[in-house]
Amino acid sequence: MSDEGELEWHWAANADDVPEGTAKTCSVAGRLVALIHHEGRFSALDNRCPHMGGPLGEGEIEFGRLVCPWHGREYDPFTGACEAYDERVACFAAEVRDDGVYVSLPAAAS
């Protein structure tokens, strides 16, 4: 079994597939994440809104927040925090490499 704190990097998308100021749902190592490109940086949040399961990758960036397309809850794209409801979506590191955007997820149990 892998150490719970161990992380693995996985290819998520081509950088050009997520234009500045947008989000996109990506399957990364069998997990759906909302890959976000905002202010020149990439980030990744769990794709499921904690409110009612809305697909965050289909949301829009408005005033610096990722807005859930179902009920409008707003999440910080870099921390996953939703200040209005004191809740948080899991947030994962993302980095651009020569061949695309990679996301760091907890290592799968072996």
Side-chain angles (χ1 to χ4, degrees), residues 31 33-34 44-48 50 56 79-81 88-92:
R31 179 181 197 146
V33 300
L45 300 179
D46 187 71
N47 194 54
R48 188 177 189 281
L56 293 177
T79 67
R88 182 175 302 271
V89 177
C91 185
F92 310 103

Side-chain angles (χ1 to χ4, degrees), residues 28-68:
V28 180
R31 179 181 197 146
L32 291 179
V33 300
L35 187 63
I36 302 153
H37 187 185
H38 179 59
E39 296 182 340
R41 301 187 302 166
F42 283 86
S43 65
L45 300 179
D46 187 71
N47 194 54
R48 188 177 189 281
C49 176
H51 173 229
M52 295 201 60
L56 293 177
E58 295 177 19
E60 295 186 12
I61 303 290
E62 295 179 8
F63 303 106
R65 299 285 186 244
L66 176 61
V67 180
C68 177

Side-chain angles (χ1 to χ4, degrees), residues 2-8 104-107:
S2 296
D3 178 13
E4 213 172 273
E6 193 175 332
L7 299 174
E8 295 177 347
S104 180
L105 297 176

